[in-house]
Amino acid sequence: GVTLLSLGIIWVRNTMEKVTGLSDTAFATAQQELQERMGSNDAFYVKGNSFKVKRGGTIDITSGAQNILTDLKTFTIDAKSTGTVNIPSQNIEIIYSKTPFTLKANEKAPAIVRVKIPNDIAIGSKPVINLILKEGSNDVGEPKQVTLEITT
């Protein structure tokens, strides 16, 4: 019993280290992407507008915000599935580097939009995710639309 418990604790520790490392790597990659591709007047950035994802799979979409306003502001990302093929709202998760973004003027911060695709969604369908950067109840910048093509 003690041996199994010890092995279980080691397995959990190793798994958590891998997840944390993946998370840190994902945010480092997102931050680099923002620095390289986001213009000085861009409030909201999403890497790409079309992705292929397997039925039952998960996709992480790099995104980020920049405070183009003059003083400290707090931002969130609103994500909704629209169109003829719907992804349930509980399957869309926004993972922030700062929760939510509280940014000084001209400061940038990454976020990951994680979408979990249901197992029962039709192959070949193309659900659409609308992403909107918000400061309070106000939309900031241009909304982004991402199309997901479901594969096997």
Side-chain angles (χ1 to χ4, degrees):
V2 172
T3 303
L4 286 176
L5 179 60
S6 296
L7 290 172
I9 290 171
I10 291 169
W11 179 82
V12 167
R13 186 189 72 213
N14 290 340
T15 300
M16 291 308 292
E17 286 174 357
K18 288 178 186 173
V19 168
T20 302
L22 176 64
S23 174
D24 292 344
T25 301
F27 280 111
T29 301
Q31 185 66 43
Q32 181 179 351
E33 182 80 22
L34 292 181
Q35 296 305 322
E36 292 174 0
R37 301 198 183 255
M38 195 171 198
S40 60
N41 293 325
D42 295 334
F44 189 35
Y45 173 80
V46 176
K47 181 182 179 181
N49 60 6
S50 181
F51 300 91
K52 291 185 179 188
V53 60
K54 292 182 178 183
R55 180 169 57 180
T58 299
I59 185 164
D60 289 343
I61 302 166
T62 300
S63 67
Q66 176 174 226
N67 184 356
I68 59 173
L69 305 172
T70 57
D71 51 352
L72 190 72
K73 296 288 182 183
T74 300
F75 301 91
T76 58
I77 296 174
D78 185 31
K80 290 188 174 54
S81 177
T82 62
T84 58
V85 179
N86 213 9
I87 302 285
S89 60
Q90 67 267 22
N91 288 25
I92 304 172
E93 180 181 10
I94 312 294
I95 306 166
Y96 296 103
S97 61
K98 301 177 180 186
T99 310
F101 303 111
T102 299
L103 304 174
K104 297 178 277 188
N106 301 314
E107 185 180 9
K108 299 175 186 175
I112 305 297
V113 179
R114 176 169 286 165
V115 182
K116 299 170 191 155
I117 306 302
N119 288 317
D120 59 353
I121 196 166
I123 293 170
S125 62
K126 295 183 178 182
V128 174
I129 308 295
N130 285 320
L131 302 170
I132 302 167
L133 182 67
K134 294 193 160 289
E135 190 270 316
S137 61
N138 300 317
D139 294 359
V140 179
E142 293 295 316
K144 307 295 182 188
Q145 194 172 71
V146 176
T147 302
L148 304 175
E149 182 179 343
I150 309 304
T151 63
T152 57

